Structures are given as structure tokens and as C-alpha cells.
Amino acid sequence: MKEKHVEVQEYYGKELEVSEDLKTNACCTLEIPPKFIREALAKVHDEVHNKYYGCGIVVPNELEGLRILDLGSGSGRDCYVLSQFVGEKGEVIGVDMTDEQLDVANKHIDYHADKFNYQSSNVSFVKGNIESLGELNLEPNSFDLIISNCVINLATDKDKVLKDVYNLLKPGGEMYFSDVYSDRRIAEDLQDDPVLWGECLSGALYWNDFLRVAKNAGFTDPRSVKNNPITIENEAVQEKCGNIKFFSVTYRLFKIDGLEDECEDYGQAIAYKGSIANNAASFDLDDHHHFPKGKIISVCGNTYRMLHDTRFKNHFDFYGTWDTHYGVFEGCGGSMPFSTDDTGDAGSCC
Ligand SMILES: C[S@@+](CC[C@H](N)C(=O)[O-])C[C@H]1O[C@@H](n2cnc3c(N)ncnc32)[C@H](O)[C@@H]1O
């Protein structure tokens, strides 16, 4: 049997030429991006768009000046979108292992620098395996943000990828990424099917195993931002997958010292100032933390830290101390963290 990485390189380098060649809708983005992201997407070269195989929107807020790494950057669509938001002083580095994808990404570096009116490009692409990030001369603690779009499912050693990500992030930095998850563990014979694996289905982690992998890597409190059920749209593939349900989910994982494994109540609260670009009326930290401008909202210790110990700090007023613990923060549960319907509502608080 061929090694999985070779199969994936062949799938994305030879089998697929454009997004329409995909056999299912797993590597398709079902969400409609907000206007400011649509405007940035409109400036990306058509050839880059045509080879986009992502499953979510990996553009968080507050990006000016950040240093970003994209794992499995493909033809570079997300890198070129983020390039616009970090500005000329920011930097975006994409890593991919497939030559054909890197060729398209590299071919349009100057085109995008011109389009964004930059003196020189702030985007570069590196050939490499995201399961060996340590071999790429990337400095530990040097990235503000690491993104990835429909790639981690294709990795055979997901634990290692997330541990390396943790190591590469600055304190207060975050991994913000979209990927495919399943509602149960996937049998080995399905994992050995190159089409199911290549289509980002059979490498998907059972969501509860993903939470374990993330926590084990140091990301104590993974937050789900958006989720959509995947409908597959291919009878033969659906037949093979049987009862397994798949979801495309965007998670944010903060690297913050002191996050706890449960949401704890210290009597703290915060109020959003309305000052984050494109979020004048309200700010969503994740799919269950919505902060309307000016409203004082009680938060658990972890949420307090995610806003206080990160690039979001200046956009909030913070109330309370760590002096008194009032018990577990009300409202947190342990059920499946994303819905099985298409409302996008989460099943529990944290
Ligand atoms: C589903 S595509 C997504 C590409 C890109 N993120 C996008 O949104 O268009 C998966 C990409 O990940 C790359 N990839 C998969 N496994 C990888 C690995 N272990 N190391 C580096 N790149 C990998 C493939 O070459 C391919 O370009």
C-alpha cells in the first residue's frame, strides 16, 4: 500500500485540478463570508481560487501586524486574504508538501503584492510536511496566529502537529482553523481508502478525540466558533460511510498560561468597547460568547483570560479579580459541542 502522504500529494497534485473535481462537498466552504472578507477574496487571483479546497473561514478579527503561519496552504487563497488584513508590516507564511499547489501559490506572489499596493510581498511559501514542522527552521514562540483549512484531518500524526503548533505560537497566540470532524471513530478499512482520505473524510477525528488531542498539546480550553454538517453529496461515498456523520468545524485554541480544564467562576465580568474593525456593534469570541458593545457580561476565568491575555485586551473593559472563587461557572455542560442540525447552535456552553 502507498504511504498516505504520497497518496495525498497525488490527490491534490494530480487527481484534482480544480475545486469542481472534488467528489464530495467535504472540502467545500458552505458558510457565506461577511462583506469585508468577500471584498478581500475579490482581490485574489482566479487561478488561486480555482484550486481552493478549504472547508471554513479562517479569518479571525484583529489581524493588523500579525505574523501568521498557514498549515497546508494549498494554492494560497487564505494566505492572500490574510496578507491584506495583516498589512505590509505583517507576515504570512504558508507550508504545503505538494509541488503543484505550491507552484500556483508562488506564481502569484508579485501579482498580489501589486494588487494590495505593497512595496514587497508579505507572503511566502515553504515546502514541507506539517508533521515535521521542527525541520522547517521556524522559530519557537514566534507566531501570533496559526491557521489551517481542511488539512489536519489529512495528517497521520495529529498529536504531533498540535504539539508543534503550541510550541510555535507566542504566549497569547492562537490556532484558528477549520477542519472535518466525525461523530464517531472511523474504522481502519475506511481510513485505508485513498479517496475517502483524500476527500478529507476518513482522516477526520471523532470530535471528542480531537478535544483530547488539543488538550494534550496544551490547548486546555478549545472553543468552537462555527460548525456545519457535511452532506457528502455522493451516493457511493455515502454508502461506504454508513451512519457516520461529518461536520466542518472552526475551532480557536489559545496558548495561554493558567487556562483551566473547566470553566470556573471568579465573579469576573467584561464589557466590549465596540472598537474591533468590522465589529462595531458586537464581538463573538466563539459560538456561545456574544458581546454586544457596552454590555457588562459575566464570564468564566478562561474567557476572561482569552480576552485579557491576548491581542483583544485593549478592546474590553475588565471587572473583578482572581481573589475569590465562586465555584463552577454556571451553564457549562459536557454534551457534543456542535449541533447535528444546520442551525450552527452549539450544544453546550464550553
Ligand atoms: C484540502 S487541501 C486544503 C488546501 C488549502 N488549505 C485550501 O484551503 O485551499 C489540503 C492541502 O493540504 C496539503 N497537505 C496535506 N497533508 C499535508 C502535510 N502532512 N504536510 C503539508 N501539507 C499537507 C495538501 O498538499 C493540500 O494542498
Side-chain angles (χ1 to χ4, degrees), residues 207 211 215 220-224 251 260-264 285-289 299-303 306 329-338 346-350:
W207 65 272
L211 295 180
K215 288 174 187 181
T220 312
D221 187 357
R223 294 292 176 96
S224 145
Y251 274 103
E260 300 185 80
D261 60 354
E262 295 286 338
C263 289
E264 302 292 348
L285 173 66
D286 53 40
D287 58 16
H288 52 288
H289 286 94
V299 289
C300 70
N302 283 355
T303 297
M306 286 176 197
F329 191 79
E330 293 285 327
C332 296
S335 62
M336 189 149 119
F338 36 90
S348 70
C349 168
C350 296

PDB file of all heavy atoms in Angstrom, residues 207 211 215 220-224 251 260-264 285-289 299-303 306 329-338 346-350:
ATOM      1  N   TRP A 207     -14.912  13.970  17.240  1.00  0.00           N
ATOM      2  CA  TRP A 207     -14.769  15.283  17.891  1.00  0.00           C
ATOM      3  C   TRP A 207     -14.232  15.188  19.321  1.00  0.00           C
ATOM      4  O   TRP A 207     -13.426  16.012  19.755  1.00  0.00           O
ATOM      5  CB  TRP A 207     -16.097  16.055  17.873  1.00  0.00           C
ATOM      6  CG  TRP A 207     -17.181  15.409  18.684  1.00  0.00           C
ATOM      7  CD1 TRP A 207     -18.056  14.465  18.248  1.00  0.00           C
ATOM      8  CD2 TRP A 207     -17.473  15.628  20.054  1.00  0.00           C
ATOM      9  NE1 TRP A 207     -18.884  14.088  19.267  1.00  0.00           N
ATOM     10  CE2 TRP A 207     -18.552  14.791  20.396  1.00  0.00           C
ATOM     11  CE3 TRP A 207     -16.939  16.466  21.035  1.00  0.00           C
ATOM     12  CZ2 TRP A 207     -19.110  14.740  21.662  1.00  0.00           C
ATOM     13  CZ3 TRP A 207     -17.492  16.428  22.308  1.00  0.00           C
ATOM     14  CH2 TRP A 207     -18.558  15.569  22.608  1.00  0.00           C
ATOM     15  N   LEU A 211     -10.793  16.857  21.017  1.00  0.00           N
ATOM     16  CA  LEU A 211     -10.662  17.673  22.238  1.00  0.00           C
ATOM     17  C   LEU A 211      -9.536  17.131  23.111  1.00  0.00           C
ATOM     18  O   LEU A 211      -8.748  17.890  23.681  1.00  0.00           O
ATOM     19  CB  LEU A 211     -11.989  17.700  23.015  1.00  0.00           C
ATOM     20  CG  LEU A 211     -13.142  18.400  22.290  1.00  0.00           C
ATOM     21  CD1 LEU A 211     -14.413  18.373  23.136  1.00  0.00           C
ATOM     22  CD2 LEU A 211     -12.798  19.851  21.949  1.00  0.00           C
ATOM     23  N   LYS A 215      -6.181  19.230  24.082  1.00  0.00           N
ATOM     24  CA  LYS A 215      -5.847  19.477  25.495  1.00  0.00           C
ATOM     25  C   LYS A 215      -4.477  18.911  25.828  1.00  0.00           C
ATOM     26  O   LYS A 215      -3.688  19.523  26.549  1.00  0.00           O
ATOM     27  CB  LYS A 215      -6.927  18.872  26.405  1.00  0.00           C
ATOM     28  CG  LYS A 215      -8.224  19.676  26.326  1.00  0.00           C
ATOM     29  CD  LYS A 215      -9.351  19.033  27.104  1.00  0.00           C
ATOM     30  CE  LYS A 215     -10.638  19.804  26.837  1.00  0.00           C
ATOM     31  NZ  LYS A 215     -11.800  19.293  27.548  1.00  0.00           N
ATOM     32  N   THR A 220      -5.836  23.995  26.590  1.00  0.00           N
ATOM     33  CA  THR A 220      -6.704  23.461  27.641  1.00  0.00           C
ATOM     34  C   THR A 220      -8.192  23.655  27.390  1.00  0.00           C
ATOM     35  O   THR A 220      -8.998  22.842  27.819  1.00  0.00           O
ATOM     36  CB  THR A 220      -6.310  24.129  28.976  1.00  0.00           C
ATOM     37  OG1 THR A 220      -4.891  24.042  29.089  1.00  0.00           O
ATOM     38  CG2 THR A 220      -6.947  23.455  30.160  1.00  0.00           C
ATOM     39  N   ASP A 221      -8.553  24.745  26.714  1.00  0.00           N
ATOM     40  CA  ASP A 221      -9.992  25.040  26.554  1.00  0.00           C
ATOM     41  C   ASP A 221     -10.307  25.374  25.086  1.00  0.00           C
ATOM     42  O   ASP A 221     -10.439  26.543  24.719  1.00  0.00           O
ATOM     43  CB  ASP A 221     -10.370  26.208  27.484  1.00  0.00           C
ATOM     44  CG  ASP A 221     -11.872  26.475  27.500  1.00  0.00           C
ATOM     45  OD1 ASP A 221     -12.617  25.806  26.763  1.00  0.00           O
ATOM     46  OD2 ASP A 221     -12.292  27.381  28.255  1.00  0.00           O
ATOM     47  N   PRO A 222     -10.422  24.325  24.233  1.00  0.00           N
ATOM     48  CA  PRO A 222     -10.749  24.575  22.810  1.00  0.00           C
ATOM     49  C   PRO A 222     -12.125  25.225  22.682  1.00  0.00           C
ATOM     50  O   PRO A 222     -13.059  24.822  23.373  1.00  0.00           O
ATOM     51  CB  PRO A 222     -10.772  23.172  22.189  1.00  0.00           C
ATOM     52  CG  PRO A 222     -10.070  22.291  23.161  1.00  0.00           C
ATOM     53  CD  PRO A 222     -10.297  22.891  24.521  1.00  0.00           C
ATOM     54  N   ARG A 223     -12.243  26.223  21.837  1.00  0.00           N
ATOM     55  CA  ARG A 223     -13.527  26.897  21.635  1.00  0.00           C
ATOM     56  C   ARG A 223     -13.995  26.723  20.194  1.00  0.00           C
ATOM     57  O   ARG A 223     -13.259  27.047  19.252  1.00  0.00           O
ATOM     58  CB  ARG A 223     -13.385  28.393  21.946  1.00  0.00           C
ATOM     59  CG  ARG A 223     -13.081  28.690  23.414  1.00  0.00           C
ATOM     60  CD  ARG A 223     -14.259  28.360  24.300  1.00  0.00           C
ATOM     61  NE  ARG A 223     -13.980  28.547  25.699  1.00  0.00           N
ATOM     62  CZ  ARG A 223     -14.287  29.649  26.389  1.00  0.00           C
ATOM     63  NH1 ARG A 223     -14.867  30.673  25.783  1.00  0.00           N
ATOM     64  NH2 ARG A 223     -14.026  29.718  27.667  1.00  0.00           N
ATOM     65  N   SER A 224     -15.215  26.239  20.058  1.00  0.00           N
ATOM     66  CA  SER A 224     -15.795  26.070  18.733  1.00  0.00           C
ATOM     67  C   SER A 224     -16.416  27.397  18.285  1.00  0.00           C
ATOM     68  O   SER A 224     -17.147  28.034  19.044  1.00  0.00           O
ATOM     69  CB  SER A 224     -16.813  24.940  18.811  1.00  0.00           C
ATOM     70  OG  SER A 224     -17.879  25.188  17.974  1.00  0.00           O
ATOM     71  N   TYR A 251     -12.395  25.857  14.975  1.00  0.00           N
ATOM     72  CA  TYR A 251     -12.036  25.965  16.393  1.00  0.00           C
ATOM     73  C   TYR A 251     -11.018  27.061  16.581  1.00  0.00           C
ATOM     74  O   TYR A 251     -10.208  27.333  15.687  1.00  0.00           O
ATOM     75  CB  TYR A 251     -11.372  24.662  16.877  1.00  0.00           C
ATOM     76  CG  TYR A 251     -12.339  23.600  17.343  1.00  0.00           C
ATOM     77  CD1 TYR A 251     -12.636  22.504  16.537  1.00  0.00           C
ATOM     78  CD2 TYR A 251     -12.927  23.670  18.604  1.00  0.00           C
ATOM     79  CE1 TYR A 251     -13.511  21.512  16.968  1.00  0.00           C
ATOM     80  CE2 TYR A 251     -13.800  22.678  19.045  1.00  0.00           C
ATOM     81  CZ  TYR A 251     -14.085  21.610  18.223  1.00  0.00           C
ATOM     82  OH  TYR A 251     -14.946  20.639  18.650  1.00  0.00           O
ATOM     83  N   GLU A 260      -7.956  26.838  32.677  1.00  0.00           N
ATOM     84  CA  GLU A 260      -8.327  25.673  33.491  1.00  0.00           C
ATOM     85  C   GLU A 260      -9.146  24.699  32.659  1.00  0.00           C
ATOM     86  O   GLU A 260      -9.737  25.070  31.654  1.00  0.00           O
ATOM     87  CB  GLU A 260      -9.123  26.136  34.704  1.00  0.00           C
ATOM     88  CG  GLU A 260      -8.320  27.088  35.570  1.00  0.00           C
ATOM     89  CD  GLU A 260      -9.044  27.456  36.844  1.00  0.00           C
ATOM     90  OE1 GLU A 260      -9.019  26.657  37.792  1.00  0.00           O
ATOM     91  OE2 GLU A 260      -9.648  28.547  36.886  1.00  0.00           O
ATOM     92  N   ASP A 261      -9.199  23.431  33.105  1.00  0.00           N
ATOM     93  CA  ASP A 261      -9.891  22.418  32.311  1.00  0.00           C
ATOM     94  C   ASP A 261     -11.411  22.505  32.447  1.00  0.00           C
ATOM     95  O   ASP A 261     -12.141  21.818  31.740  1.00  0.00           O
ATOM     96  CB  ASP A 261      -9.388  21.005  32.644  1.00  0.00           C
ATOM     97  CG  ASP A 261      -9.590  20.646  34.094  1.00  0.00           C
ATOM     98  OD1 ASP A 261     -10.018  21.520  34.880  1.00  0.00           O
ATOM     99  OD2 ASP A 261      -9.327  19.484  34.450  1.00  0.00           O
ATOM    100  N   GLU A 262     -11.896  23.329  33.359  1.00  0.00           N
ATOM    101  CA  GLU A 262     -13.332  23.604  33.466  1.00  0.00           C
ATOM    102  C   GLU A 262     -13.496  25.112  33.546  1.00  0.00           C
ATOM    103  O   GLU A 262     -12.570  25.825  33.928  1.00  0.00           O
ATOM    104  CB  GLU A 262     -13.908  22.994  34.756  1.00  0.00           C
ATOM    105  CG  GLU A 262     -13.879  21.474  34.819  1.00  0.00           C
ATOM    106  CD  GLU A 262     -14.920  20.830  33.922  1.00  0.00           C
ATOM    107  OE1 GLU A 262     -15.916  21.504  33.576  1.00  0.00           O
ATOM    108  OE2 GLU A 262     -14.733  19.658  33.561  1.00  0.00           O
ATOM    109  N   CYS A 263     -14.720  25.570  33.202  1.00  0.00           N
ATOM    110  CA  CYS A 263     -14.988  26.998  33.336  1.00  0.00           C
ATOM    111  C   CYS A 263     -15.292  27.304  34.794  1.00  0.00           C
ATOM    112  O   CYS A 263     -16.257  26.765  35.351  1.00  0.00           O
ATOM    113  CB  CYS A 263     -16.163  27.384  32.448  1.00  0.00           C
ATOM    114  SG  CYS A 263     -15.682  27.319  30.723  1.00  0.00           S
ATOM    115  N   GLU A 264     -14.497  28.148  35.403  1.00  0.00           N
ATOM    116  CA  GLU A 264     -14.628  28.456  36.832  1.00  0.00           C
ATOM    117  C   GLU A 264     -15.080  29.895  37.017  1.00  0.00           C
ATOM    118  O   GLU A 264     -14.764  30.774  36.210  1.00  0.00           O
ATOM    119  CB  GLU A 264     -13.282  28.226  37.546  1.00  0.00           C
ATOM    120  CG  GLU A 264     -12.732  26.805  37.416  1.00  0.00           C
ATOM    121  CD  GLU A 264     -13.555  25.752  38.160  1.00  0.00           C
ATOM    122  OE1 GLU A 264     -14.431  26.138  38.963  1.00  0.00           O
ATOM    123  OE2 GLU A 264     -13.346  24.548  37.915  1.00  0.00           O
ATOM    124  N   LEU A 285     -16.653  35.881  20.452  1.00  0.00           N
ATOM    125  CA  LEU A 285     -15.400  35.158  20.712  1.00  0.00           C
ATOM    126  C   LEU A 285     -15.499  33.757  20.114  1.00  0.00           C
ATOM    127  O   LEU A 285     -14.545  33.233  19.545  1.00  0.00           O
ATOM    128  CB  LEU A 285     -15.152  35.069  22.230  1.00  0.00           C
ATOM    129  CG  LEU A 285     -13.972  34.208  22.670  1.00  0.00           C
ATOM    130  CD1 LEU A 285     -12.650  34.814  22.199  1.00  0.00           C
ATOM    131  CD2 LEU A 285     -13.964  34.040  24.188  1.00  0.00           C
ATOM    132  N   ASP A 286     -16.663  33.144  20.278  1.00  0.00           N
ATOM    133  CA  ASP A 286     -16.900  31.791  19.761  1.00  0.00           C
ATOM    134  C   ASP A 286     -18.398  31.633  19.568  1.00  0.00           C
ATOM    135  O   ASP A 286     -19.128  32.619  19.628  1.00  0.00           O
ATOM    136  CB  ASP A 286     -16.284  30.736  20.711  1.00  0.00           C
ATOM    137  CG  ASP A 286     -16.770  30.923  22.142  1.00  0.00           C
ATOM    138  OD1 ASP A 286     -17.958  31.225  22.313  1.00  0.00           O
ATOM    139  OD2 ASP A 286     -15.970  30.774  23.081  1.00  0.00           O
ATOM    140  N   ASP A 287     -18.875  30.392  19.387  1.00  0.00           N
ATOM    141  CA  ASP A 287     -20.300  30.256  19.058  1.00  0.00           C
ATOM    142  C   ASP A 287     -21.224  30.375  20.268  1.00  0.00           C
ATOM    143  O   ASP A 287     -22.430  30.235  20.135  1.00  0.00           O
ATOM    144  CB  ASP A 287     -20.563  28.954  18.280  1.00  0.00           C
ATOM    145  CG  ASP A 287     -20.114  27.715  19.042  1.00  0.00           C
ATOM    146  OD1 ASP A 287     -19.875  27.796  20.263  1.00  0.00           O
ATOM    147  OD2 ASP A 287     -19.988  26.650  18.393  1.00  0.00           O
ATOM    148  N   HIS A 288     -20.662  30.626  21.437  1.00  0.00           N
ATOM    149  CA  HIS A 288     -21.529  30.827  22.588  1.00  0.00           C
ATOM    150  C   HIS A 288     -21.103  31.998  23.472  1.00  0.00           C
ATOM    151  O   HIS A 288     -21.547  32.114  24.604  1.00  0.00           O
ATOM    152  CB  HIS A 288     -21.656  29.538  23.396  1.00  0.00           C
ATOM    153  CG  HIS A 288     -20.348  28.919  23.771  1.00  0.00           C
ATOM    154  ND1 HIS A 288     -19.537  28.304  22.866  1.00  0.00           N
ATOM    155  CD2 HIS A 288     -19.714  28.824  24.958  1.00  0.00           C
ATOM    156  CE1 HIS A 288     -18.457  27.849  23.485  1.00  0.00           C
ATOM    157  NE2 HIS A 288     -18.531  28.163  24.743  1.00  0.00           N
ATOM    158  N   HIS A 289     -20.214  32.854  22.952  1.00  0.00           N
ATOM    159  CA  HIS A 289     -19.850  34.070  23.693  1.00  0.00           C
ATOM    160  C   HIS A 289     -20.003  35.270  22.773  1.00  0.00           C
ATOM    161  O   HIS A 289     -19.139  35.533  21.935  1.00  0.00           O
ATOM    162  CB  HIS A 289     -18.414  33.993  24.210  1.00  0.00           C
ATOM    163  CG  HIS A 289     -18.254  33.067  25.357  1.00  0.00           C
ATOM    164  ND1 HIS A 289     -17.874  31.753  25.215  1.00  0.00           N
ATOM    165  CD2 HIS A 289     -18.465  33.256  26.689  1.00  0.00           C
ATOM    166  CE1 HIS A 289     -17.839  31.177  26.407  1.00  0.00           C
ATOM    167  NE2 HIS A 289     -18.192  32.055  27.312  1.00  0.00           N
ATOM    168  N   VAL A 299     -18.303  36.479  32.980  1.00  0.00           N
ATOM    169  CA  VAL A 299     -17.549  35.466  32.221  1.00  0.00           C
ATOM    170  C   VAL A 299     -16.802  34.550  33.184  1.00  0.00           C
ATOM    171  O   VAL A 299     -16.504  34.923  34.323  1.00  0.00           O
ATOM    172  CB  VAL A 299     -16.516  36.111  31.259  1.00  0.00           C
ATOM    173  CG1 VAL A 299     -17.201  36.792  30.090  1.00  0.00           C
ATOM    174  CG2 VAL A 299     -15.586  37.073  31.979  1.00  0.00           C
ATOM    175  N   CYS A 300     -16.500  33.357  32.692  1.00  0.00           N
ATOM    176  CA  CYS A 300     -15.661  32.446  33.478  1.00  0.00           C
ATOM    177  C   CYS A 300     -14.206  32.918  33.390  1.00  0.00           C
ATOM    178  O   CYS A 300     -13.856  33.760  32.545  1.00  0.00           O
ATOM    179  CB  CYS A 300     -15.801  31.023  32.948  1.00  0.00           C
ATOM    180  SG  CYS A 300     -15.056  30.788  31.322  1.00  0.00           S
ATOM    181  N   GLY A 301     -13.370  32.334  34.240  1.00  0.00           N
ATOM    182  CA  GLY A 301     -11.954  32.727  34.265  1.00  0.00           C
ATOM    183  C   GLY A 301     -11.273  32.514  32.926  1.00  0.00           C
ATOM    184  O   GLY A 301     -10.447  33.331  32.502  1.00  0.00           O
ATOM    185  N   ASN A 302     -11.609  31.422  32.232  1.00  0.00           N
ATOM    186  CA  ASN A 302     -10.944  31.153  30.948  1.00  0.00           C
ATOM    187  C   ASN A 302     -11.299  32.197  29.892  1.00  0.00           C
ATOM    188  O   ASN A 302     -10.434  32.659  29.147  1.00  0.00           O
ATOM    189  CB  ASN A 302     -11.333  29.761  30.432  1.00  0.00           C
ATOM    190  CG  ASN A 302     -10.599  28.651  31.166  1.00  0.00           C
ATOM    191  OD1 ASN A 302      -9.729  28.920  31.995  1.00  0.00           O
ATOM    192  ND2 ASN A 302     -10.947  27.397  30.868  1.00  0.00           N
ATOM    193  N   THR A 303     -12.573  32.557  29.823  1.00  0.00           N
ATOM    194  CA  THR A 303     -12.983  33.569  28.835  1.00  0.00           C
ATOM    195  C   THR A 303     -12.318  34.905  29.156  1.00  0.00           C
ATOM    196  O   THR A 303     -11.842  35.621  28.259  1.00  0.00           O
ATOM    197  CB  THR A 303     -14.519  33.702  28.816  1.00  0.00           C
ATOM    198  OG1 THR A 303     -15.054  32.451  28.391  1.00  0.00           O
ATOM    199  CG2 THR A 303     -14.984  34.801  27.879  1.00  0.00           C
ATOM    200  N   MET A 306      -8.899  34.722  27.827  1.00  0.00           N
ATOM    201  CA  MET A 306      -8.842  34.727  26.352  1.00  0.00           C
ATOM    202  C   MET A 306      -8.976  36.134  25.776  1.00  0.00           C
ATOM    203  O   MET A 306      -8.567  36.401  24.645  1.00  0.00           O
ATOM    204  CB  MET A 306      -9.946  33.828  25.774  1.00  0.00           C
ATOM    205  CG  MET A 306      -9.644  32.355  25.952  1.00  0.00           C
ATOM    206  SD  MET A 306     -11.002  31.330  25.378  1.00  0.00           S
ATOM    207  CE  MET A 306     -10.582  29.771  26.184  1.00  0.00           C
ATOM    208  N   PHE A 329     -18.497  27.735  36.823  1.00  0.00           N
ATOM    209  CA  PHE A 329     -19.251  28.772  36.117  1.00  0.00           C
ATOM    210  C   PHE A 329     -20.535  28.148  35.587  1.00  0.00           C
ATOM    211  O   PHE A 329     -20.495  27.157  34.863  1.00  0.00           O
ATOM    212  CB  PHE A 329     -18.393  29.346  34.988  1.00  0.00           C
ATOM    213  CG  PHE A 329     -18.967  30.574  34.371  1.00  0.00           C
ATOM    214  CD1 PHE A 329     -18.837  31.813  34.993  1.00  0.00           C
ATOM    215  CD2 PHE A 329     -19.648  30.511  33.164  1.00  0.00           C
ATOM    216  CE1 PHE A 329     -19.375  32.966  34.424  1.00  0.00           C
ATOM    217  CE2 PHE A 329     -20.188  31.651  32.595  1.00  0.00           C
ATOM    218  CZ  PHE A 329     -20.053  32.886  33.222  1.00  0.00           C
ATOM    219  N   GLU A 330     -21.669  28.716  35.911  1.00  0.00           N
ATOM    220  CA  GLU A 330     -22.976  28.163  35.534  1.00  0.00           C
ATOM    221  C   GLU A 330     -23.113  28.043  34.013  1.00  0.00           C
ATOM    222  O   GLU A 330     -22.672  28.913  33.290  1.00  0.00           O
ATOM    223  CB  GLU A 330     -24.111  29.079  36.033  1.00  0.00           C
ATOM    224  CG  GLU A 330     -24.251  29.135  37.536  1.00  0.00           C
ATOM    225  CD  GLU A 330     -24.880  27.888  38.105  1.00  0.00           C
ATOM    226  OE1 GLU A 330     -25.723  27.298  37.425  1.00  0.00           O
ATOM    227  OE2 GLU A 330     -24.489  27.502  39.233  1.00  0.00           O
ATOM    228  N   GLY A 331     -23.741  26.972  33.566  1.00  0.00           N
ATOM    229  CA  GLY A 331     -24.100  26.894  32.145  1.00  0.00           C
ATOM    230  C   GLY A 331     -23.198  26.007  31.331  1.00  0.00           C
ATOM    231  O   GLY A 331     -23.473  25.726  30.167  1.00  0.00           O
ATOM    232  N   CYS A 332     -22.063  25.546  31.906  1.00  0.00           N
ATOM    233  CA  CYS A 332     -21.175  24.697  31.124  1.00  0.00           C
ATOM    234  C   CYS A 332     -21.642  23.242  31.212  1.00  0.00           C
ATOM    235  O   CYS A 332     -21.965  22.761  32.268  1.00  0.00           O
ATOM    236  CB  CYS A 332     -19.748  24.814  31.628  1.00  0.00           C
ATOM    237  SG  CYS A 332     -19.116  26.468  31.398  1.00  0.00           S
ATOM    238  N   GLY A 333     -21.640  22.557  30.068  1.00  0.00           N
ATOM    239  CA  GLY A 333     -22.085  21.167  30.065  1.00  0.00           C
ATOM    240  C   GLY A 333     -21.089  20.298  29.350  1.00  0.00           C
ATOM    241  O   GLY A 333     -20.053  20.765  28.907  1.00  0.00           O
ATOM    242  N   GLY A 334     -21.396  19.010  29.217  1.00  0.00           N
ATOM    243  CA  GLY A 334     -20.423  18.115  28.602  1.00  0.00           C
ATOM    244  C   GLY A 334     -20.936  17.423  27.352  1.00  0.00           C
ATOM    245  O   GLY A 334     -20.410  16.394  26.969  1.00  0.00           O
ATOM    246  N   SER A 335     -21.978  17.962  26.723  1.00  0.00           N
ATOM    247  CA  SER A 335     -22.540  17.270  25.561  1.00  0.00           C
ATOM    248  C   SER A 335     -21.731  17.592  24.299  1.00  0.00           C
ATOM    249  O   SER A 335     -20.768  18.332  24.343  1.00  0.00           O
ATOM    250  CB  SER A 335     -23.999  17.676  25.367  1.00  0.00           C
ATOM    251  OG  SER A 335     -24.055  19.049  25.109  1.00  0.00           O
ATOM    252  N   MET A 336     -22.163  17.033  23.182  1.00  0.00           N
ATOM    253  CA  MET A 336     -21.476  17.282  21.920  1.00  0.00           C
ATOM    254  C   MET A 336     -21.415  18.797  21.671  1.00  0.00           C
ATOM    255  O   MET A 336     -22.419  19.480  21.783  1.00  0.00           O
ATOM    256  CB  MET A 336     -22.229  16.590  20.796  1.00  0.00           C
ATOM    257  CG  MET A 336     -21.475  16.607  19.511  1.00  0.00           C
ATOM    258  SD  MET A 336     -21.859  15.159  18.553  1.00  0.00           S
ATOM    259  CE  MET A 336     -22.555  15.909  17.110  1.00  0.00           C
ATOM    260  N   PRO A 337     -20.214  19.316  21.333  1.00  0.00           N
ATOM    261  CA  PRO A 337     -20.078  20.768  21.299  1.00  0.00           C
ATOM    262  C   PRO A 337     -20.582  21.416  20.022  1.00  0.00           C
ATOM    263  O   PRO A 337     -20.427  22.599  19.841  1.00  0.00           O
ATOM    264  CB  PRO A 337     -18.576  20.962  21.450  1.00  0.00           C
ATOM    265  CG  PRO A 337     -17.995  19.760  20.828  1.00  0.00           C
ATOM    266  CD  PRO A 337     -18.961  18.643  21.075  1.00  0.00           C
ATOM    267  N   PHE A 338     -21.152  20.671  19.090  1.00  0.00           N
ATOM    268  CA  PHE A 338     -21.761  21.314  17.936  1.00  0.00           C
ATOM    269  C   PHE A 338     -23.022  20.565  17.556  1.00  0.00           C
ATOM    270  O   PHE A 338     -23.195  19.402  17.884  1.00  0.00           O
ATOM    271  CB  PHE A 338     -20.797  21.441  16.760  1.00  0.00           C
ATOM    272  CG  PHE A 338     -19.854  20.302  16.588  1.00  0.00           C
ATOM    273  CD1 PHE A 338     -20.198  19.221  15.791  1.00  0.00           C
ATOM    274  CD2 PHE A 338     -18.631  20.299  17.219  1.00  0.00           C
ATOM    275  CE1 PHE A 338     -19.326  18.169  15.631  1.00  0.00           C
ATOM    276  CE2 PHE A 338     -17.756  19.235  17.067  1.00  0.00           C
ATOM    277  CZ  PHE A 338     -18.102  18.171  16.272  1.00  0.00           C
ATOM    278  N   ALA A 346     -24.497  25.711  19.198  1.00  0.00           N
ATOM    279  CA  ALA A 346     -23.699  24.743  19.948  1.00  0.00           C
ATOM    280  C   ALA A 346     -24.559  24.014  20.950  1.00  0.00           C
ATOM    281  O   ALA A 346     -25.596  24.503  21.383  1.00  0.00           O
ATOM    282  CB  ALA A 346     -22.573  25.456  20.664  1.00  0.00           C
ATOM    283  N   GLY A 347     -24.134  22.814  21.330  1.00  0.00           N
ATOM    284  CA  GLY A 347     -24.908  22.016  22.258  1.00  0.00           C
ATOM    285  C   GLY A 347     -24.625  22.352  23.713  1.00  0.00           C
ATOM    286  O   GLY A 347     -25.366  21.959  24.590  1.00  0.00           O
ATOM    287  N   SER A 348     -23.532  23.044  24.013  1.00  0.00           N
ATOM    288  CA  SER A 348     -23.240  23.360  25.392  1.00  0.00           C
ATOM    289  C   SER A 348     -22.419  24.629  25.447  1.00  0.00           C
ATOM    290  O   SER A 348     -21.995  25.167  24.428  1.00  0.00           O
ATOM    291  CB  SER A 348     -22.442  22.226  26.037  1.00  0.00           C
ATOM    292  OG  SER A 348     -21.147  22.201  25.498  1.00  0.00           O
ATOM    293  N   CYS A 349     -22.199  25.101  26.667  1.00  0.00           N
ATOM    294  CA  CYS A 349     -21.525  26.397  26.797  1.00  0.00           C
ATOM    295  C   CYS A 349     -20.058  26.339  26.463  1.00  0.00           C
ATOM    296  O   CYS A 349     -19.546  27.148  25.723  1.00  0.00           O
ATOM    297  CB  CYS A 349     -21.727  26.922  28.216  1.00  0.00           C
ATOM    298  SG  CYS A 349     -20.681  28.319  28.595  1.00  0.00           S
ATOM    299  N   CYS A 350     -19.325  25.407  27.027  1.00  0.00           N
ATOM    300  CA  CYS A 350     -17.872  25.444  26.842  1.00  0.00           C
ATOM    301  C   CYS A 350     -17.319  24.120  26.349  1.00  0.00           C
ATOM    302  O   CYS A 350     -17.933  23.122  26.526  1.00  0.00           O
ATOM    303  CB  CYS A 350     -17.191  25.795  28.147  1.00  0.00           C
ATOM    304  SG  CYS A 350     -17.639  27.442  28.660  1.00  0.00           S
TER     305      CYS A 350
END
